[in-house]
Amino acid sequence: MNKYLKFFLMIATSTLLMFFMMYFNLFSFSHFFFSQTRLFMALMMGAAMAIIMLIFMWKMYSNKKANVVILCGSILLFAGSLFMVRSQTAVDDVAWMKAMIPHHSIAILTSDRANLTDPEVKELAKKILEAQEAEIDEMKELIEKLEEQ
């Protein structure tokens, strides 16, 4: 197999894996919703990985023009993904809620499973857990309503 094709497949596979790994800390699988922000974060990580790996293995990849194209493309992908994450320009009402549900799910997981001993901290965690669960239910209802329109 061409080593550049292998490099691309390695970066693409790792990027896809990183995207799904960002969902491993959900409290419930029912909180899994596609998140544009997580997609752009995975693309940023994949681009950064491509840059780092190519620089470290520069001598292994002898086509200097291809290396420059990969580096420039990776830098552009990183910058574009960073812009999309920071600006949230592609995020509408439904996309925002679909990104927030997994985010809230993480708060539920940590509030539910942390080894808390202080009564005030435990009470705070309980309040967070209840609020996040209520907000997830509300967002699911709104998503359903908006997607029917």
Side-chain angles (χ1 to χ4, degrees), residues 34 36-37 84 87-100 143 146-147:
F34 173 76
Q36 293 171 333
T37 300
M84 295 304 287
S87 70
Q88 295 288 294
T89 56
V91 178
D92 62 11
D93 296 341
V94 172
W96 176 78
M97 288 185 288
K98 286 183 176 182
M100 289 304 294
I143 289 168
L146 291 171
E147 286 183 337

Side-chain angles (χ1 to χ4, degrees), residues 27-39:
F27 180 74
S28 166
F29 188 73
S30 69
H31 298 160
F32 182 95
F33 284 85
F34 173 76
S35 167
Q36 293 171 333
T37 300
R38 280 179 164 75
L39 173 64

Side-chain angles (χ1 to χ4, degrees), residues 1-15 49-50 53-54 57 60-61 70:
M1 181 185 300
N2 177 312
K3 58 184 155 182
Y4 284 99
L5 176 60
K6 193 172 184 178
F7 180 84
F8 171 77
L9 291 174
M10 181 174 49
I11 297 299
T13 302
S14 298
T15 301
M49 187 171 59
M53 289 178 69
L54 188 62
M57 298 185 295
M60 185 174 154
Y61 297 95
I70 292 169

Side-chain angles (χ1 to χ4, degrees), residues 24-25 52 56-57 60 65 68 79 85 105 109 122-123 131:
F24 283 3
N25 57 352
I52 292 165
F56 271 88
M57 298 185 295
M60 185 174 154
K65 287 182 183 178
V68 170
V85 167
S105 186
L109 177 82
K122 287 170 97 171
E123 182 60 29

Side-chain angles (χ1 to χ4, degrees), residues 33 93-94 96-105 131-146:
F33 284 85
D93 296 341
V94 172
W96 176 78
M97 288 185 288
K98 286 183 176 182
M100 289 304 294
I101 290 172
H103 172 77
H104 279 41
S105 186
Q132 302 298 301
E133 286 174 340
E135 289 173 6
I136 286 174
D137 291 341
E138 183 178 358
M139 286 186 279
K140 284 181 174 182
E141 289 173 16
L142 282 168
I143 289 168
E144 192 174 309
K145 177 185 161 191
L146 291 171

